[in-house]
Amino acid sequence: MSGRDRYAQDREILRLAVPAFFALVSEPLMLLADSAIVGHLGTPQLAALGVAGTILQTLVGICVFLAYGTTSAVARRIGAGDHRGALAQGIDGLWLALLLGVVLAIAGLLLAPQAIAAFDPSPDVADYAVTYLRISCLGIPSMLLLLAATGVLRGLQDTKTPMVVAISANLVNIALNLFLVYGLDLNIAGSALGTVLAQTAAGIALVVVVVRGARRDGAKLRPDRPGILASAQSGIPLVVRTLTLRVAIILATFVATSLGTTSVAAHQVAFTLWSFLALALDAIAIAAQALTGRALGAGDVEGTRAITRRMMWWGLVSGFVGGLALWGLRDLYVPLFTTDPEVRSTLAAVLLIAAIWQPVNGVVFVLDGVLIGAGDGPYLAVAGVIALVLYVPLALSVLWFDGGVVALWWAFGGFMLLRLLTLLTRERRDDWLVTGAVR
């Protein structure tokens, strides 16, 4: 490949990845803002936000397939030159998001007390948590519509519009939270309501953009039962894939908690930093979804291979740079998280392991995005289950042999290595290179 071709590929990757990164970063920043505002109300309110927020993030996180699956399907039709069909596919995704959002919202409203009780909080924390969760559930349909509309626009090769909307929603969220919590003295209910209103506005804004595009190209807007069912069926494997990741993370937290207070504190800080670096890698994965789907839709197998190799290089280099930053800058950021000498010492050892695994993470995220873009969800589901099944004894052996939190992070790195091996095995074959507007 010539230097000019590589330059063109790099520009295309950056054009999609950079706005995607800033859109992704806005979500944890919104959570941080909510935590800061609620934290000044009192410890029970902050604890309630943690419990209710965990439940809410899990419900919405499982539905991330609405963004990923829609990106792949829309990008394929764009590559095939079927712009109207791409937007029709996107509209089906929006209807699925709305239906699923209404179901989850009703379930959350009815089952909020039971869900909160499962965490066994104190009575005052439970009351605040139920209030926050019930109000937040009203925003689930908007959150899922936001996911689906974002997926449509990514498939259309537009990551700038979701970025602008996400950043705007973040700023509106802060203003509304401050006004409702302190101006109207609504306590934690004001925080929940402010976030719901900000997310609803963001969801409406992106849906309007998609609907305008559909009308412009003459795509249907009414519900299409076969299309909605097809979107749901294609999303099932991605739900399985997402669940395997969530279970692996939850298991790591469980083991760290069992190792003691110092271990779980160090683990929590390290995982927070790991998650932030994952946003940068996920931005490249989003570019991979859009570019892979478009190339395969256009029937360009050779181009798909070329862009995949280039993005793998980007993932490797980004992971290497992220690992260096994670380790090299530790003296600057670790004091921001803890002053406990024992936690700092343990954290330093954990961060070294986390840094070592970053290049592996970079390639894993990219290949995950490539195969999602190719619509290869069934393989990703099977690969995720295989990696999880092999990882479980690795993680539990840390408890059996009293290996400590450092050993736990070697085990978690092993999970990522298992994912890398399954993804590389698939990438080297041709089975996933299915061309055409529909996989």
Side-chain angles (χ1 to χ4, degrees):
M1 180 186 297
S2 68
R4 180 177 296 179
D5 289 338
R6 281 195 297 270
Y7 177 71
Q9 288 182 343
D10 290 345
R11 285 190 62 185
E12 189 79 345
I13 293 169
L14 288 173
R15 181 182 68 81
L16 295 170
V18 172
F21 171 73
F22 285 108
L24 290 169
V25 168
S26 70
E27 182 177 347
L29 289 179
M30 183 180 289
L31 295 175
L32 285 174
D34 288 354
S35 298
I37 293 170
V38 170
H40 285 85
L41 292 172
T43 300
Q45 289 93 328
L46 185 58
L49 176 64
V51 174
T54 297
I55 296 171
L56 191 65
Q57 290 169 43
T58 300
L59 288 175
V60 176
I62 291 173
C63 297
V64 74
F65 74 90
L66 291 167
Y68 290 170
T70 304
T71 297
S72 169
V74 171
R76 271 186 174 272
R77 290 187 179 273
I78 289 296
D82 183 11
H83 209 274
R84 179 184 297 179
L87 284 162
Q89 186 92 47
I91 294 297
D92 290 337
L94 293 180
W95 280 111
L96 174 62
L98 180 60
L99 293 171
L100 187 57
V102 169
V103 171
L104 290 178
I106 293 172
L109 286 168
L110 295 176
L111 301 176
Q114 293 86 339
I116 297 299
F119 288 79
D120 195 27
S122 61
D124 55 343
V125 170
D127 288 342
Y128 284 126
V130 169
T131 297
Y132 187 92
L133 183 57
R134 277 185 163 156
I135 295 174
S136 296
C137 282
L138 298 175
I140 289 180
S142 298
M143 294 182 210
L144 299 195
L145 281 170
L146 183 63
L147 281 176
T150 297
V152 176
L153 293 174
R154 287 173 180 170
L156 294 171
Q157 316 296 295
D158 175 13
T159 56
K160 287 184 179 179
T161 302
M163 176 192 71
V164 171
V165 170
I167 293 174
S168 300
N170 205 333
L171 296 174
V172 171
N173 174 68
I174 294 173
L176 283 173
N177 270 254
L178 289 172
F179 174 68
L180 294 171
V181 172
Y182 298 116
L184 297 184
D185 198 25
L186 294 181
N187 208 292
I188 195 172
S191 176
L193 180 59
T195 302
V196 166
L197 292 174
Q199 290 171 330
T200 299
I204 291 173
L206 286 190
V207 168
V208 167
V209 172
V210 174
V211 169
R212 282 179 177 173
R215 283 178 173 169
R216 185 173 55 248
D217 284 357
K220 59 180 178 58
L221 295 178
R222 64 181 181 276
D224 178 61
R225 187 169 179 271
I228 294 172
L229 289 176
S231 295
Q233 290 172 354
S234 65
I236 292 174
L238 294 180
V239 172
V240 174
R241 162 206 167 269
T242 301
L243 285 174
T244 61
L245 297 177
R246 296 296 304 176
V247 170
I249 291 169
I250 291 170
L251 179 58
T253 302
F254 168 78
V255 173
T257 303
S258 301
L259 294 173
T261 303
T262 298
S263 293
V264 73
H267 172 79
Q268 184 58 39
V269 173
F271 189 74
T272 298
L273 296 165
W274 185 92
S275 299
F276 183 79
L277 288 177
L279 294 176
L281 301 176
D282 203 26
I284 303 174
I286 287 170
Q289 294 171 26
L291 295 175
T292 301
R294 188 184 69 184
L296 289 176
D300 186 3
V301 172
E302 183 179 343
T304 303
R305 284 287 191 192
I307 197 69
T308 297
R309 288 191 294 267
R310 193 60 182 168
M311 285 187 291
M312 287 173 65
W313 180 88
W314 269 92
L316 182 66
V317 172
S318 298
F320 183 74
V321 172
L324 286 178
L326 187 64
W327 177 246
L329 301 177
R330 65 192 183 283
D331 291 337
L332 295 178
Y333 63 76
V334 166
L336 301 176
F337 290 95
T338 179
T339 57
D340 188 321
E342 189 175 357
V343 174
R344 285 189 180 186
S345 176
T346 303
L347 181 57
V350 171
L351 288 174
L352 176 60
I353 309 306
I356 289 172
W357 286 116
Q358 285 305 306
V360 171
N361 294 351
V363 180
V364 166
F365 274 71
V366 166
L367 287 178
D368 211 33
V370 166
L371 295 181
I372 289 174
D376 203 21
Y379 179 83
L380 288 171
V382 173
V385 171
I386 292 173
L388 179 63
V389 168
L390 295 176
Y391 163 69
V392 169
L394 278 178
L396 293 180
S397 68
V398 175
L399 288 179
W400 297 333
F401 298 105
D402 195 22
V405 71
V406 172
L408 172 63
W409 272 80
W410 279 115
F412 188 71
F415 171 70
M416 297 303 295
L417 182 60
L418 288 167
R419 291 192 66 210
L420 176 65
L421 294 175
T422 57
L423 295 176
L424 280 176
T425 299
R426 187 63 164 177
E427 187 273 334
R428 293 176 182 276
R429 299 171 61 89
D430 295 329
D431 306 51
W432 60 280
L433 291 166
V434 179
T435 58
V438 180
R439 180 180 172 85

